[in-house]
Amino acid sequence: MAWLQAFVAILFFGISIFAQSQYQTVFERPKHLGIFHHPIRRVAVVGAGPAGLQAAAKLIEHNFTVRLFERAPHPGGNWLYSEETPVRESYPDKPAGLSIDEIPARLPAKLYHNEGDDGLTLDHRWTEHWRPRPVWYNLFTNSPKVSTELPDVPYNPETPWVLSHHTIQRHVRSYASHHCLNSNDHCPTTPSAARVASYSTRVVKVEKDEETHTWVLTLRRLERLRESNRILEEWWTETFDAVVITSGTYAAAHVPEIEGIVDWSKVKEGGRYSMYHSQSYRHPEPYVGKTVLIVGASISASEIARDISPFAHRIIVSVRPPQVRRGSRQRSLSRFPNITEFVPEIASFEPLESRTDGIHNGKIHLMNGSILQGIDEIILATGYQSYSLYPPDSTRRRPENTSWTGHYVPDPTLAYTIGRPWTMGRYQSYGFARVWQGTARLPPPEWIDDGSEGPDRGTGSYFLDMWLGEALFRRYITWLNAASLEHGGRFIGPPPIENLELLKYYTMVHLLNDTMRPEGIGLESVTMLSGQLRDGDPWDALTDEGSDW
Ligand SMILES: Cc1cc2nc3c(=O)[nH]c(=O)nc-3n(C[C@H](O)[C@H](O)[C@H](O)COP(=O)(O)OP(=O)(O)OC[C@H]3O[C@@H](n4cnc5c(N)ncnc54)[C@H](O)[C@@H]3O)c2cc1C
Ligand SMILES: NC(=O)c1ccc[n+]([C@@H]2O[C@H](COP(=O)([O-])OP(=O)(O)OC[C@H]3O[C@@H](n4cnc5c(N)ncnc54)[C@H](OP(=O)(O)O)[C@@H]3O)[C@@H](O)[C@H]2O)c1
Ligand SMILES: *[C@@H]1O[C@H](CO)[C@@H](O)[C@H](O)[C@H]1NC(C)=O
Ligand SMILES: *[C@@H]1O[C@H](CO)[C@@H](O)[C@H](O)[C@H]1NC(C)=O
Ligand SMILES: *[C@@H]1O[C@H](CO)[C@@H](O)[C@H](O)[C@H]1NC(C)=O
Ligand SMILES: *[C@@H]1O[C@H](CO)[C@@H](O)[C@H](O)[C@H]1NC(C)=O
Ligand SMILES: *[C@@H]1O[C@H](CO)[C@@H](O)[C@H](O)[C@H]1NC(C)=O
C-alpha cells in the first residue's frame, strides 16, 4: 500500500503547489503599486477624536491590525467636556511640544507616584497627561450639523442645526461604541476594545526605524489607583508599519508676548489667577459684577463674551488688526454682545506695586497711548499653538510636504488627517486604507495644485480648497473610484448634494446675512484687509482651523 500512500502524498503536494500558485496570481499585490518596503499590516492611530475614530473604524474595516492611542480616558477628542481644566499655560509662552521628555532609559518601565512626589500633586500629573479640553459648559457649534456629523449614528432629525457640545459628546461616543472603540466596550464578535483602543495612553515619540522600515511609538499610560491614592505610570513601545496622526490642532495655549505679562500672570485674587487663557474657561456665573478684559477678538473671545455678558459688569475687548484675513474672525466681530467696549492692542502691563489685591489698580498701556485700569480679570483668548509628532521639530499641525491626500510625501506610511469638516474624515481614511492595502496608487503631488493664492493661502490648504472647490473634492472621489475600477473595492459617492446646499444656506444666514457688517460697531479699521468680502470667506469661516493648514 506504500505506492498508494506515495501517490496520495504526491497528489496532495501537487494540489497544494497548484493552489499556492493560483493564490499568488490572484492575490499578489500588484507590482507597480509596491511603493512600500513590505506589506502594511499594523497601523497606529494617534488620537480618538472625530478624525481618529473614523480612521480607526475604516482601517479595521479594511482588515488592518489597528491600535488606537488616546491620552484622555475616553473618546471624543476636543468634545470630551470636563470640569477639570488643563495645567496652567506658561508665562512667557513656551513652544508647543512635550513637557516631559523624561523617557526612562529602559523600557518597558513602571513607576508609582504618591501625592506630592517631586513637588507635584496627583491631579497635576493626571491633567498634564490627558490635557482637559478647551470646551466650556454652554458652548455651541459654529458649524451646522450637516458638517458636524459622523457616519453610522445619524442625529435625530429634530436635533437643531447648531449643536450643544453635550449633544456632540454623546454623538461621538455613540460612534466610538458602534465601532467597539469606546473606553469600556467589549465586543466578542469584533476585535476586543482592549486590543484596539488604549486610553489614557499618550504617544510621546514617533520614530522611524530605518533598518526594519517600521515606526516605533513610545507610549506612556497613566492609571489612578484610587485605593492606594497613587498613580501608576507605565512606559513601553510598540511597532507599526504605518501611522495616522489624528492628534488635533490645539496642542497648547498661545500666550502673547506682551511686556510685563509675566509679572501680571502671577497675581491671584481669592485663590484664583487674575489672568488666564480661554482654555480654562468653563462657567459664566463667577463673573457676576466683574470688569473683564478679553484679549483677542476671534471665536473664543466673542463666544465667551456672549456667555458672560448677562453676568459681567463690563466687557472690554482688546483687538488688533488682523494679520491674515479669516472669515471666522469677521463673523466673531459682529457676535460680541452689545455691552462690549473695544480697545486697541495692548502695548504693555505696567509693573504692579503689590500683588496682594488683584490687578484692579494695575495700569495697562494700549497701543494708542491710553491707559486702561480697574480690570478684575483678564481672559487671553489668543488662540493655540500646534506641532506634529513627526518630524520631531515640526511646529505645524500637518508638516511641510504633506500631500493633499494626507500622506507625508517623504514617507507615505505616515499620514495626517484634517479635523474640520468632520465629514471629510471618512473619505480621507478610505484613501489611507486603499493606498496601504495596495489597491490605490498615490496620486502624484502635482496632480492637484495647492490652490495657494493671495497672502492668506499657505501650502497645505488643499483640503480647505476641496470645500471651496466642489470640483476638487469630486476629483478625490474620482481618484478612489478609479482605483476601485482597476483593483477592486467599493465605489463611493460624495456626500448628498443637499448637504452642500444646506451648508451654503447656513453660511448665508449665519455669516453673510447676520454678520460681516463691520459698519456701526466702530471697527472699520480692523475688520477687513481690503474692504471687500471674497467668495472664500464664508467657507473659511466654516473650515478654518488655524493658520497651518
Ligand atoms: C473651543 C473649540 C470649539 C470648536 N468648535 C467647533 C465647531 O463648532 N465645529 C467644528 O467643526 N469644529 C470645531 N472645533 C474644532 C475641532 O477641533 C473639531 O471639531 C474636531 O474636534 C477635530 O477633530 P480631530 O479628531 O481632528 O481632533 P480632536 O478632536 O482635537 O482630537 C484629537 C485627539 O488626539 C489626542 N491626542 C493628541 N495628542 C496625542 C498624543 N500625543 N497621544 C495620544 N493622544 C493624543 C487628544 O487627546 C484628542 O483626544 C472647535 C475647537 C475648539 C477648541
Ligand atoms: N464653536 C464655537 O463657538 C467655538 C468657540 C471657540 C473656539 N472655536 C474654535 O476654536 C478654534 C480657535 O479659536 P480661538 O478663538 O481660540 O483662537 P484663534 O481663532 O486663533 O484666535 C486668537 C486670536 O487672538 C488674537 N491675538 C493674539 N495675540 C493678540 C494680542 N496680543 N492682542 C490682541 N489679539 C491677539 C489673534 O489675532 P490675529 O488674528 O491678529 O493673529 C487671533 O484673532 C477656532 O477654529 C474656532 O473655530 C469654536
Ligand atoms: C476583510 O477580510 C474579510 C474576510 O477575509 C473579507 O471578506 C473582506 O473583503 C476584507 N475587506 C477588505 C476591505 O479587504
Ligand atoms: C443689548 O442687548 C440686550 C440683550 O440682548 C438687550 O436687552 C438690550 O436692549 C440691548 N441694548 C442696546 C442698547 O441695544
Ligand atoms: C484709545 O482707544 C480708546 C478705545 O477706542 C479710546 O477710548 C481712546 O480715546 C483712545 N486714545 C487715544 C489717545 O486716541
Ligand atoms: C519639501 O519638498 C521640497 C520639494 O521636494 C523640498 O525642497 C523640501 O526640502 C521639502 N521639505 C521638507 C521639510 O521635507
Ligand atoms: C437676511 O436679512 C434680511 C434683513 O435682515 C431678511 O429680510 C432676510 O430674510 C434674511 N435672509 C435670510 C436668508 O435669512
Side-chain angles (χ1 to χ4, degrees):
M1 295 300 247
W3 64 270
L4 188 57
Q5 275 180 353
F7 176 76
V8 169
I10 287 166
L11 186 68
F12 271 49
F13 182 67
I15 288 173
S16 73
I17 294 263
F18 176 74
Q20 260 180 24
S21 66
Q22 281 300 96
Y23 182 88
Q24 273 166 8
T25 10
V26 177
F27 293 104
E28 202 179 42
R29 277 164 65 253
K31 286 218 165 47
H32 59 282
L33 295 178
I35 56 167
F36 304 117
H37 185 265
H38 57 256
I40 309 285
R41 300 199 203 288
R42 280 177 60 80
V43 184
V45 178
V46 184
L53 292 166
Q54 291 187 85
K58 261 287 173 256
L59 290 161
I60 291 168
E61 188 188 304
H62 283 77
N63 298 327
F64 290 98
T65 302
V66 175
R67 284 283 272 158
L68 171 64
F69 300 110
E70 167 55 61
R71 64 193 287 187
H74 307 288
N78 183 62
W79 303 96
L80 176 63
Y81 176 78
S82 96
E83 293 288 326
E84 288 172 83
T85 54
V87 164
R88 188 164 161 82
E89 58 281 355
S90 61
Y91 296 84
D93 212 10
K94 216 169 63 181
L98 294 167
S99 55
I100 39 116
D101 278 320
E102 290 151 29
I103 302 173
R106 296 181 65 187
L107 299 182
K110 263 189 188 192
L111 306 158
Y112 289 90
H113 303 284
N114 290 296
E115 184 70 30
D117 281 357
D118 310 316
L120 298 176
T121 62
L122 293 180
D123 282 346
H124 179 98
R125 285 182 196 276
W126 182 247
T127 52
E128 190 275 335
H129 182 71
W130 82 268
R131 185 155 192 268
R133 280 86 238 272
V135 167
W136 55 90
Y137 192 76
N138 297 320
L139 181 93
F140 285 84
T141 52
N142 57 5
S143 54
K145 103 177 145 174
V146 287
S147 67
T148 321
E149 184 169 27
L150 296 171
D152 308 325
V153 286
Y155 293 114
N156 183 319
E158 305 300 311
T159 309
W161 279 38
V162 172
L163 305 156
S164 151
H165 72 82
H166 303 284
T167 306
I168 296 194
Q169 180 169 347
R170 292 204 311 277
H171 178 70
V172 181
R173 280 193 192 195
S174 303
Y175 180 81
S177 276
H178 181 83
H179 291 280
C180 198
L181 295 168
N182 208 336
S183 41
N184 50 2
D185 284 338
H186 182 72
C187 313
T189 54
T190 52
S192 83
R195 274 169 43 209
V196 174
S198 184
Y199 285 94
S200 299
T201 304
R202 182 171 176 180
V203 177
V204 174
K205 205 158 124 190
V206 172
E207 285 169 295
K208 184 83 193 217
D209 182 334
E210 297 297 348
E211 271 174 32
T212 57
H213 302 274
T214 53
W215 292 98
V216 181
L217 268 54
T218 303
L219 303 157
R220 185 180 84 157
R221 183 173 175 276
L222 251 53
E223 187 181 339
R224 285 199 93 146
L225 306 172
R226 302 277 171 192
E227 285 190 358
S228 58
N229 195 33
R230 289 189 300 174
I231 280 181
L232 165 62
E233 176 178 343
E234 290 176 277
W235 289 85
W236 75 103
T237 59
E238 287 187 33
T239 303
F240 297 92
D241 302 313
V243 180
V244 188
I245 298 189
T246 56
S247 55
T249 308
Y250 311 102
H254 163 69
V255 169
E257 271 176 51
I258 304 175
E259 192 188 324
I261 198 170
V262 176
D263 181 37
W264 280 51
S265 74
K266 292 175 182 148
V267 178
K268 277 186 172 177
E269 202 180 1
R272 182 181 157 99
Y273 282 106
S274 300
M275 181 195 286
Y276 45 90
H277 189 272
S278 61
Q279 65 173 345
S280 43
Y281 175 74
R282 292 292 180 271
H283 294 279
E285 293 81 5
Y287 294 83
V288 66
K290 287 187 177 166
T291 294
V292 183
L293 170 65
I294 298 178
V295 184
S298 183
I299 305 176
S300 292
S302 64
E303 303 314 296
I304 291 173
R306 286 170 82 93
D307 203 26
I308 65 174
S309 70
F311 299 91
H313 170 55
R314 282 175 74 192
I315 297 174
I316 303 169
V317 171
S318 167
V319 51
R320 66 181 186 191
Q323 331 258 296
V324 292
R325 210 182 138 86
R326 291 188 182 285
S328 55
R329 291 176 203 171
Q330 313 265 357
R331 169 181 182 260
S332 289
L333 281 174
S334 57
R335 281 183 58 85
F336 282 99
N338 61 14
I339 64 162
T340 309
E341 302 161 49
F342 291 97
V343 300
E345 191 174 350
I346 298 166
S348 68
F349 294 96
E350 193 173 302
L352 293 160
E353 279 164 20
S354 125
R355 283 195 204 142
T356 53
D357 58 347
I359 54 173
H360 316 267
N361 298 323
K363 290 184 177 145
I364 301 170
H365 294 262
L366 302 176
M367 285 292 190
N368 73 351
S370 281
I371 290 173
L372 201 59
Q373 253 183 310
I375 306 292
D376 296 311
E377 293 197 14
I378 302 177
I379 303 177
L380 302 173
T382 46
Y384 295 87
Q385 317 178 45
S386 48
Y387 73 101
S388 57
L389 283 161
Y390 192 91
D393 51 354
S394 174
T395 54
R396 297 161 61 112
R397 188 169 92 87
R398 285 156 59 93
E400 226 192 311
N401 293 342
T402 301
S403 137
W404 64 281
T405 59
H407 296 90
Y408 180 57
V409 175
D411 185 341
T413 56
L414 182 67
Y416 294 84
T417 49
I418 55 146
R420 208 177 163 155
W422 296 9
T423 33
M424 276 304 305
R426 78 193 78 164
Y427 298 100
Q428 196 168 26
S429 305
Y430 191 56
F432 299 155
R434 300 297 307 271
V435 169
W436 290 339
Q437 200 183 40
T439 56
R441 205 178 323 208
L442 259 184
E446 65 277 6
W447 214 48
I448 301 263
D449 78 76
D450 86 351
S452 307
E453 34 133 0
D456 52 337
R457 285 288 151 76
T459 49
S461 61
Y462 322 111
F463 272 96
L464 195 66
D465 283 342
M466 283 170 81
W467 280 99
L468 293 179
E470 180 66 5
L472 277 185
F473 180 60
R474 283 173 192 272
R475 193 161 184 189
Y476 184 80
I477 290 166
T478 306
W479 163 57
L480 289 169
N481 286 338
S484 296
L485 205 57
E486 200 178 339
H487 307 292
R490 208 176 277 175
F491 290 102
I492 51 164
I497 196 74
E498 58 267 28
N499 284 10
L500 194 69
E501 294 301 319
L502 291 171
L503 210 57
K504 278 184 183 159
Y505 177 74
Y506 170 92
T507 309
M508 288 298 290
V509 174
H510 278 262
L511 305 173
L512 289 177
N513 209 30
D514 291 356
T515 68
M516 299 281 192
R517 291 203 192 115
E519 317 86 50
I521 54 171
L523 291 167
E524 289 79 358
S525 63
V526 295
T527 48
M528 300 283 174
L529 280 182
S530 65
Q532 269 284 300
L533 255 189
R534 296 180 326 173
D535 283 352
D537 289 343
W539 298 104
D540 276 359
L542 286 173
T543 55
D544 182 15
E545 191 137 37
S547 55
D548 60 338
W549 275 65

